[in-house]
Amino acid sequence: MPSSESVGEPGLSERLDQMRADIAEATRRADREPDELTLIVVTKFHPASLVRELCALGVRDVGENRHQEAQAKAEELAHLDLRWHFVGQLQTKKARQAAKYAHAIHSIDRTRLVDALDDGDRAIDAFVQINLTDDPGRGGAAPDEIESLAERVLNSRALRLRGVMAVAPIEEDPARAFARLRGYSDRVRALAPEADAISAGMTHDYAEAIAEGATHLRIGTAITGKRPEHG
């Protein structure tokens, strides 16, 4: 039964089941196996009670993209069997704090962030975020920085290079963007064959991401429902 503490919309279980079914269908169409995919439910702006309810429904991987919110939820729900994925832009000055709760950070986009995270005493899965646009203001490293950044992660003590991450530009066909990301993944795998994970695909483009080899999907409102009003 859903938690009586949840303040989210009704139908959470149904939305989660539907998304799992849709992902399974997209996986079959791509001639892939369901166990190749990790579903990360992004709970930005939703209360810890919703995360607790998701956990009761079998969700183990939770994504957040604001440090302060992620830290508070991780502390409140530390007793639950959850893996916290930080998927937003992380300020270097917040890196040490994030390293205390994050099991994975999907937004490694500069060497200074790698160095700051390397001060921690916990092993963290690291995804090199790549900017798929020509706009340097967008999150992610430029394609010509991929190898040097990956090498920095490989030489770090606390980080374990898992692969690459990107957000498809809204102005581009996601299939084309994710095909490009797959090529960047191949470049990382040339340095570290075990770093074969691809974090890509959100509510509106997960099927295209799956078709291009995504291993980690970051799905938010399709499961959690409309975000609560926030300040």
Side-chain angles (χ1 to χ4, degrees):
M1 295 289 291
S3 167
S4 61
E5 295 177 285
S6 175
V7 296
E9 294 181 351
L12 180 64
S13 177
E14 291 78 8
R15 289 193 299 271
L16 178 61
D17 286 346
Q18 185 62 58
M19 179 54 64
R20 285 171 168 162
D22 291 346
I23 289 171
E25 175 59 29
T27 303
R28 284 191 292 270
R29 290 199 305 268
D31 196 23
R32 297 179 60 194
E33 296 298 325
D35 60 6
E36 297 177 34
L37 276 292
T38 296
L39 170 60
I40 301 166
V41 182
V42 180
T43 56
K44 177 182 178 180
F45 297 136
H46 288 279
S49 57
L50 184 78
V51 181
R52 189 180 298 113
E53 189 173 340
L54 285 165
C55 184
L57 294 170
V59 171
R60 292 295 175 265
D61 294 273
V62 178
E64 292 286 338
N65 60 0
R66 300 197 312 170
H67 163 65
Q68 187 173 359
E69 184 178 352
Q71 183 180 49
K73 289 179 187 175
E75 289 177 356
E76 182 175 343
L77 303 175
H79 60 291
L80 297 180
D81 180 20
L82 294 170
R83 284 180 50 82
W84 293 93
H85 297 254
F86 193 85
V87 300
Q89 298 309 117
L90 181 60
Q91 296 179 20
T92 303
K93 64 182 180 180
K94 301 293 185 181
R96 291 183 182 180
Q97 297 175 48
K100 294 179 180 178
Y101 63 81
H103 297 89
I105 295 178
H106 293 238
S107 49
I108 304 296
D109 61 357
R110 58 198 185 280
T111 56
R112 287 196 306 122
L113 181 57
V114 174
D115 295 343
L117 289 166
D118 205 27
D119 286 340
D121 55 4
R122 296 172 63 251
I124 300 172
D125 288 346
F127 293 75
V128 171
Q129 182 179 358
I130 302 169
N131 185 351
L132 297 181
T133 77
D134 294 326
D135 180 0
R138 298 278 186 96
D144 61 3
E145 299 171 333
I146 292 172
E147 281 81 5
S148 61
L149 188 53
E151 289 278 13
R152 193 67 158 254
V153 175
L154 287 169
N155 291 325
S156 69
R157 178 178 56 85
L159 300 180
R160 181 169 74 109
L161 182 62
R162 289 297 313 279
V164 298
M165 178 273 224
V167 177
I170 58 175
E171 64 274 12
E172 182 180 3
D173 175 6
R176 290 181 56 192
F178 291 140
R180 203 157 63 252
L181 179 62
R182 190 171 196 165
Y184 297 147
S185 173
D186 290 342
R187 287 167 53 180
V188 170
R189 291 174 62 192
L191 297 174
E194 71 281 3
D196 57 357
I198 299 176
S199 173
M202 298 187 289
T203 294
H204 302 296
D205 56 20
Y206 67 86
E208 291 88 346
I210 290 171
E212 291 297 336
T215 59
H216 292 67
L217 308 177
R218 309 182 306 273
I219 309 293
T221 54
I223 295 172
T224 61
K226 183 180 178 181
R227 291 170 177 168
E229 294 297 324
H230 59 278

